[in-house]
Amino acid sequence: MTESLSGARRRGDVGYLVPMLVLVGAVVLVPAGVAIFHSFTDWRPGGESPWVGLANYREFLSNPVTGEIVKNTAVLLIGVPLWTALPLLLAFALHERTRATGFFRAVFFFPAVLSPAIIGIMFRGILAPEGLVNELLLGVGVVGEPVLWLDEASLVKPTLIFVLAWASVGAGTILFAAAMTSVDNHLLEAAKLDGANWLQRLRYVVLPGIASVVAFWVVYQVVSVFLYVFGWIFILTRGGPGYSSTTLDFDVYQNAFANGLFGYASAQAVCLLVIAAIVVIVGFPLARRTRRA
Amino acid sequence: MRYQGALLAVLAALAVGCGSDDSGEGSEGSDEPVTLTVWNSGYFPAGGKEVWEEIDREFEAANPNIEIQHEGIPYENLYVRLRGTIAARRGPDLVTLFPGAFAGDYRDGFAPLDEYITDGQRDENPLWKTSQSPDGKTYAVPMLAYGYMLTFNKAHFRKAGLDPEAPPTTDAELYEACAALREAGIEPLAAGWRDGYLLEWYLFVYGGQLLSPEDTDRWMGLELPASNPAFKGALEFVAGLEERGCFKKDAATASLEGARDQFAKGEVAMALETTGNLAMFEESLGDDVGVALPPRLGSSQWPEMTDAGANVGFGITSWSEHPDEAWKYIAFAAERENQELFAERGDIPVNRTASTPSDPPAEEAMNEIMKLPDNHTIYTAFPASVLIPLEKDAPAFLAGDMSADEVLQRMDEALEKAKPRLQ
């Protein structure tokens, strides 16, 4: 009786999973499989798609634009320390009995509820030659003419780093603030009594206690640079000026939907999948190890 | 058992949802109700929406079983959506498309129109005879014609001590005019390089001037590389104008629309413009707007010409369930009476039997430019995918960060990829 009940319960559990598995299969696995197959063809939806073997991959590796994409991605990764340090500092400031903590948490979390499209449109206006930032800088005399934050090749990537810092600070702050509640307040009190200043308490008491969360956040940010910046690039820069802010996910879109090179774009997408998989497979176990350490 | 029922319900809902089709309702047959969906990048007030609305009303009155669902989709989004639509094999019945190689780049989603076009229609619409893509088939027929011209603000000319009835006709005269205007505190030429479209216009006009008749034929047959001396000369001419201070300053963030607005608002004295915008300029600048041929370069291979020819038109999608009705709509829009509706708002009709207004003087000057016997276009040989690298590189090129050779080399790389897919 117990066995049949247990078996029936397992079949029931599987039954509840089937719709989700069907959806994941239909929306994720099947398209991925189609893209992997067509990365070896000159894919022309609606027309003939001849087999081309590794030609798309060879072209991707030899394309000068790929070199620019690698450079752009490397520069964006420089933003990871900022995207980690900023919410960490804010979370600790909130944790240390700041007044109106709830209000500040809500304010800092505000960007997290906005879509990249809305934030992008907002920042396009703020960073425009006649926008708020340039008005302030011109007003106080820091610059003599408007700065082309998004239209100057040398400035566009640092600008993106700061925009992404603004956009991610909310989620990071909430995450770290929640993690900090697990840190024993007595340790913090003891550190205070021993004369540790604010930064020392953060470094020697709080960080060791939330190291795994910080590590998880760092890995997540690295993955985001590869997989989640398309929305920002599309709204803010369209990969320009030239290719100076083009990322791999944006170039996939460009090659598929602007240039009609679906096979080549599929090869790029497969490469992106492999890169992201490597980051996740290597990164998250490392993050878990910080907890054990 | 309950979860199995829920699962079946979910799968059934998915099947119904995936089975919808918005490429027109109704079945074939002259009396069966038919809905034609039209995607039109010009279905906006600035692009002649009111004319299209009148054409749609007249067409529906003449064909009571056909309903037109006309949708305006901005140019910068239309062709990206079109790629996805072609991949999905579902969507509108008609889409605005530039004829020639541009249409050829999307040929997987469009039906050839050659069998539909009658001899009479070819005679009335001469540009339909030359709208083939590189594979020899016609995937789009133009609804309008266009030409590039130099528009100039006579009030600014007067202020700078220039003769408002004698606009620059050569590159040397253009440089002199720029210097005089700048000295008078007036920005000479409209500029906007962000989206790259204005640089394309300069390439079409001045590349067309510098290509010999023989090389023009070779280019139109895709037998000439993009990195040819004529195109290099055209790009270097534009770079030279920038170096001489002819273009409006701080134009890096402006787009083609921004450049158009600069002229319409009187912020600049001159602009390389298309005939389709003249009506707007007349509305904002009145009698102060002048029209002239784009200045001729000293090394031009033609005595007098501008880049002029087929403007955007329509193609019928290959999945449309109502291609005959779709062609009926295209033919209706190309009839003389409907073409004259476009002419009244300042557009150039593709139907040669349609009359064009000769008032005000700017319109008359534009019509005279359009009649020059050497006018021709080179743009219809540019596949869409070859224009994209030019558009992307325009800001860097005008900023001096890229050479003309580098820009053209990227275009050649795109051209080599595009050729096998077009022929």
Side-chain angles (χ1 to χ4, degrees):
Chain A
M1 183 74 158
T2 306
E3 259 190 47
S4 65
L5 270 178
S6 165
R9 180 174 295 164
R10 273 199 295 276
R11 282 195 295 276
D13 290 345
V14 168
Y16 284 114
L17 286 175
V18 166
M20 189 272 293
L21 288 174
V22 167
L23 278 173
V24 169
V27 173
V28 177
L29 297 178
V30 170
V34 169
I36 291 170
F37 172 76
H38 277 296
S39 68
F40 299 101
T41 71
D42 178 15
W43 189 12
R44 294 176 59 169
E48 286 182 19
S49 304
W51 185 264
V52 297
L54 294 173
N56 290 326
Y57 291 96
R58 276 197 292 271
E59 188 176 338
F60 173 60
L61 292 173
S62 61
N63 194 331
V65 175
T66 303
E68 296 198 45
I69 289 171
V70 169
K71 273 191 291 192
N72 296 340
T73 306
V75 171
L76 287 178
L77 285 172
I78 294 172
V80 172
L82 174 67
W83 303 334
T84 305
L86 192 58
L88 196 58
L89 292 170
L90 286 173
F92 188 53
L94 291 174
H95 183 73
E96 290 263 287
R97 280 184 265 162
T98 306
R99 285 184 196 165
T101 305
F103 169 75
F104 283 110
R105 278 202 184 128
V107 167
F108 293 141
F109 193 64
F110 177 66
V113 303
L114 297 176
S115 72
I118 292 174
I119 297 176
I121 291 168
M122 205 169 75
F123 271 96
R124 277 210 63 81
I126 291 171
L127 296 170
E130 65 282 359
L132 182 62
V133 171
N134 275 315
E135 266 196 41
L136 284 170
L137 293 174
L138 287 165
V140 299
V142 173
V143 297
E145 53 184 38
V147 180
L148 302 179
W149 299 106
L150 295 171
D151 296 290
E152 189 81 48
S154 59
L155 291 176
V156 67
K157 287 189 282 288
T159 303
L160 281 171
I161 287 173
F162 279 101
V163 171
L164 291 171
W166 186 90
S168 65
V169 72
T173 304
I174 296 298
L175 182 74
F176 292 141
M180 284 174 191
T181 58
S182 66
V183 174
D184 190 342
N185 273 326
H186 294 115
L187 293 175
L188 284 166
E189 292 292 335
K192 235 188 232 176
L193 287 170
D194 285 343
N197 62 28
W198 187 84
L199 203 55
Q200 287 168 325
R201 290 198 297 277
L202 173 63
R203 185 180 168 191
Y204 296 110
V205 178
V206 173
L207 269 181
I210 64 167
S212 62
V213 175
V214 174
F216 163 81
W217 178 255
V218 168
V219 174
Y220 172 71
Q221 292 298 329
V222 172
V223 171
S224 295
V225 168
F226 290 100
L227 294 181
Y228 299 131
V229 293
F230 169 80
W232 308 102
I233 303 297
F234 184 85
I235 297 291
L236 284 167
T237 67
R238 298 288 170 116
Y243 293 92
S244 57
S245 63
T246 299
T247 52
L248 187 51
D249 53 356
F250 182 81
D251 207 40
V252 169
Y253 154 83
Q254 183 94 339
N255 280 309
F257 295 103
N259 297 334
L261 302 172
F262 286 90
Y264 180 72
S266 297
Q268 288 183 302
V270 169
C271 292
L272 186 56
L273 174 66
V274 167
I275 293 168
I278 290 171
V279 171
V280 168
I281 288 167
V282 171
F284 282 120
L286 275 176
R288 276 197 292 275
R289 262 190 227 150
T290 58
R291 180 172 56 195
R292 286 193 208 115
Chain B
M1 293 302 290
R2 279 179 294 176
Y3 71 79
Q4 286 171 342
L7 169 61
L8 285 170
V10 166
L11 290 174
L14 281 172
V16 168
C18 292
S20 67
D21 185 339
D22 61 347
S23 70
E25 297 158 10
S27 52
E28 291 287 355
S30 57
D31 296 327
E32 295 294 325
V34 166
T35 301
L36 290 178
T37 304
V38 183
W39 281 7
N40 189 345
S41 59
Y43 196 66
F44 298 97
K49 183 179 178 183
E50 73 282 5
V51 173
W52 286 112
E53 285 173 336
E54 187 169 340
I55 289 175
D56 291 350
R57 274 195 298 273
E58 298 294 324
F59 182 79
E60 286 172 343
N63 300 276
N65 65 311
I66 303 177
E67 182 196 345
I68 303 296
Q69 271 185 4
H70 217 129
E71 297 177 29
I73 300 183
Y75 177 87
E76 56 269 19
N77 296 336
L78 172 59
Y79 298 106
V80 168
R81 277 185 74 171
L82 186 55
R83 293 276 187 211
T85 302
I86 293 172
R89 311 296 301 155
R90 61 177 55 186
D93 299 279
L94 293 124
V95 181
T96 48
L97 205 58
F98 290 95
F102 192 99
D105 220 344
Y106 299 91
R107 64 178 177 165
D108 290 337
F110 289 88
L113 304 175
D114 303 90
E115 286 178 8
Y116 285 109
I117 307 173
T118 65
D119 288 341
Q121 286 167 336
R122 281 196 182 87
D123 182 58
E124 273 193 2
N125 307 286
L127 290 172
W128 287 16
K129 296 182 202 170
T130 53
S131 293
Q132 292 84 9
S133 294
D135 66 355
K137 295 178 186 166
T138 306
Y139 295 102
V141 288
M143 289 286 100
L144 294 171
Y146 82 97
Y148 291 111
M149 54 191 183
L150 182 77
T151 54
F152 60 99
N153 186 316
K154 294 182 181 178
H156 285 327
F157 268 46
R158 280 190 287 269
K159 190 176 167 194
L162 297 167
D163 183 351
E165 303 307 323
T169 58
T170 65
D171 46 353
E173 288 176 11
L174 181 62
Y175 301 146
E176 283 171 14
C178 288
L181 287 159
R182 213 162 259 300
E183 200 173 319
I186 300 166
E187 296 276 11
L189 266 168
W193 311 113
R194 185 185 170 77
D195 50 16
Y197 299 144
L198 185 60
L199 185 61
E200 282 177 12
W201 287 11
Y202 274 92
L203 180 61
F204 300 154
V205 170
Y206 289 101
Q209 277 193 16
L210 296 174
L211 275 175
S212 67
E214 297 74 30
D215 279 345
T216 300
D217 287 341
R218 288 182 61 208
W219 168 251
M220 297 306 286
L222 292 184
E223 294 163 12
L224 198 69
S227 53
N228 59 70
F231 289 179
K232 182 175 174 178
L235 291 182
E236 289 180 339
F237 169 65
V238 179
L241 287 173
E242 173 72 8
E243 279 166 28
R244 289 169 187 269
C246 283
F247 287 121
K248 185 180 187 298
K249 288 184 189 150
D250 306 323
T253 59
S255 62
L256 179 71
E257 253 186 44
R260 181 198 66 197
D261 291 343
Q262 289 162 18
F263 185 77
K265 290 178 187 171
E267 293 171 12
V268 296
M270 296 178 284
L272 182 69
E273 268 297 339
T274 179
T275 47
N277 288 333
L278 182 59
M280 182 177 66
F281 298 148
E282 283 167 341
E283 205 176 306
S284 60
L285 299 174
D287 291 336
D288 276 335
V289 91
V291 167
L293 210 50
R296 184 178 178 275
L297 297 181
S299 43
S300 173
Q301 302 290 304
W302 305 81
E304 220 180 27
M305 55 88 51
T306 188
D307 185 278
N311 206 340
V312 71
F314 277 123
I316 299 174
T317 56
S318 53
W319 56 80
S320 173
E321 293 178 354
H322 312 288
D324 294 341
E325 288 82 357
W327 176 254
K328 217 173 175 180
Y329 179 78
I330 290 175
F332 183 80
E335 286 176 6
R336 182 180 55 82
E337 297 82 7
N338 295 315
Q339 289 282 298
E340 285 174 352
L341 295 176
F342 287 108
E344 278 167 25
R345 70 176 295 276
D347 290 315
I348 309 286
V350 73
N351 189 320
R352 65 177 180 80
T353 66
S355 58
T356 51
S358 55
D359 255 351
E363 294 269 359
E364 193 178 353
M366 178 183 79
N367 292 332
E368 290 304 309
I369 289 172
M370 290 300 292
K371 288 177 191 165
L372 291 171
D374 283 339
N375 284 348
H376 59 275
T377 181
I378 61 168
Y379 102 79
T380 52
F382 281 90
S385 51
V386 173
L387 293 174
I388 287 169
L390 175 66
E391 290 160 14
K392 288 192 80 62
D393 291 337
F397 174 68
L398 269 300
D401 296 334
M402 281 185 83
S403 67
D405 285 326
E406 287 170 322
V407 173
L408 293 171
Q409 188 191 340
R410 282 224 240 246
M411 290 174 70
D412 262 335
E413 287 164 7
L415 186 58
E416 288 312 308
K417 279 184 210 162
K419 268 193 214 171
R421 300 158 69 85
L422 292 169
Q423 288 164 333

